[in-house]
Amino acid sequence: MKNVIAIDGPAGAGKSTTAKLAAQKIGYTYIDTGAMYRAVAWKTLQAKKPVTDELILATVKDMTINLRYDNGVTRVFVDVDKEITNEIRTPAINEIVSQVARLKDVRDKLVTLQREMAKRGKVLMDGRDIGTNVLPDADLKIFLTAGIDERAKRRYNELTAKGHNVDLAEIKASITNRDKIDSERAVAPLKQADDAILLDTTAMSIDEVVDKIVELAEGE
Ligand code: CDP
């Protein structure tokens, strides 16, 4: 059994959904690092000011972020126990989160927390730079991806199911833009680690992806 598992990949590849289910099946703690960048984005928007790098840096400096994983759900808390689990998955956050995540001071703070959380072992962590930067010694690295049209469709379904009024073409453009910022940033860009296993999920169901992750986790 692999003790520390890293899953990376572009936006909308289905990482959160499948990684969470796979972690549950093997009894591991699931750590959603994207939720932490989303929490910083959420708090930045609370200022109701134009989103500048200065504002983001001032925000992250003074905030605490906690992830609590219970019953298969990652709950996100900021500052003195303010829960924002649902608030972080909106189109407004999607729009600015990659701008937030490019900044070195933001990443330094969150990566320190992520490494601390992984120390306990039996963890499955997902994000953009887990295999390449946060946990380079992970026992298993998976790069999860899917074609852009499929990823846009998945994100469209996720948002409409929650009652957001969204447009498929706009979502596709927004995901493409986020992937570009994530892949081209100077600090720990989105990239498949040399020793990661590539899993293209375009034509796979959620169950098939979960089973594949579990199979890889159980491997020697
Ligand atoms: O769910 P989705 O794939 O759309 O995104 P997410 O995993 O919630 O991550 C949101 C954003 O946070 C990404 O687009 C990245 O800009 C940033 N992120 C990152 O830079 N590094 C990570 N380890 C995780 C997320």
Side-chain angles (χ1 to χ4, degrees):
M1 197 72 182
K2 315 289 186 189
N3 185 36
V4 174
I5 303 172
I7 303 188
D8 291 297
K15 290 186 307 294
S16 314
T17 311
T18 55
K20 185 167 36 186
L21 290 169
Q24 239 176 320
K25 278 203 170 175
I26 58 176
Y28 276 33
T29 301
Y30 167 59
I31 302 170
D32 176 358
T33 63
M36 302 169 80
Y37 292 94
R38 287 172 178 274
V40 179
W42 178 85
K43 177 112 196 251
T44 303
L45 288 181
Q46 296 310 294
K48 306 228 180 313
K49 289 184 194 157
V51 177
T52 59
D53 289 355
E54 289 68 28
L55 179 64
I56 299 167
L57 292 171
T59 305
V60 75
K61 206 159 155 263
D62 285 336
M63 78 185 281
T64 57
I65 303 166
N66 270 305
L67 296 189
R68 248 173 264 159
Y69 178 73
D70 44 48
N71 275 326
V73 183
T74 305
R75 299 174 64 193
V76 185
F77 297 83
V78 290
D79 301 331
V80 188
D81 257 3
K82 159 99 184 116
E83 178 161 13
I84 55 166
T85 306
N86 296 322
E87 285 85 342
I88 60 171
R89 301 200 191 271
T90 63
I93 302 280
N94 290 347
E95 270 328 296
I96 67 153
V97 66
S98 290
Q99 186 189 347
V100 169
R102 345 179 310 287
L103 300 174
K104 183 176 183 303
D105 287 1
V106 173
R107 305 201 70 82
D108 284 351
K109 175 161 174 165
L110 300 192
V111 168
T112 303
L113 286 170
Q114 291 157 11
R115 289 190 178 133
E116 202 54 48
M117 292 192 266
K119 273 192 187 155
R120 284 168 247 150
K122 288 198 169 190
V123 290
L124 192 159
M125 187 178 282
D126 89 350
R128 299 290 186 286
D129 61 336
I130 311 305
T132 52
N133 175 54
V134 181
L135 306 172
D137 298 327
D139 304 297
L140 169 65
K141 299 180 186 177
I142 299 173
F143 194 82
L144 201 79
T145 186
I148 176 67
D149 286 311
E150 178 63 22
R151 292 192 282 121
K153 210 170 81 195
R154 289 177 188 173
R155 183 50 45 92
Y156 175 84
N157 290 339
E158 176 197 330
L159 290 169
T160 46
K162 284 197 283 189
H164 292 289
N165 186 8
V166 284
D167 175 79
L168 185 59
E170 268 173 32
I171 289 188
K172 185 172 166 183
S174 153
I175 287 183
T176 304
N177 180 46
R178 192 135 64 89
D179 286 346
K180 186 170 155 59
I181 302 174
D182 289 346
S183 310
E184 293 179 358
R185 69 180 175 225
V187 193
L190 166 67
K191 183 177 171 294
Q192 182 178 345
D194 293 337
D195 51 352
I197 294 165
L198 177 66
L199 196 56
D200 184 334
T201 71
T202 309
M204 291 170 83
S205 68
I206 290 175
D207 285 348
E208 285 170 334
V209 179
V210 172
D211 288 348
K212 185 70 197 174
I213 297 172
V214 170
E215 180 192 317
L216 292 169
E218 285 173 343
E220 278 312 303

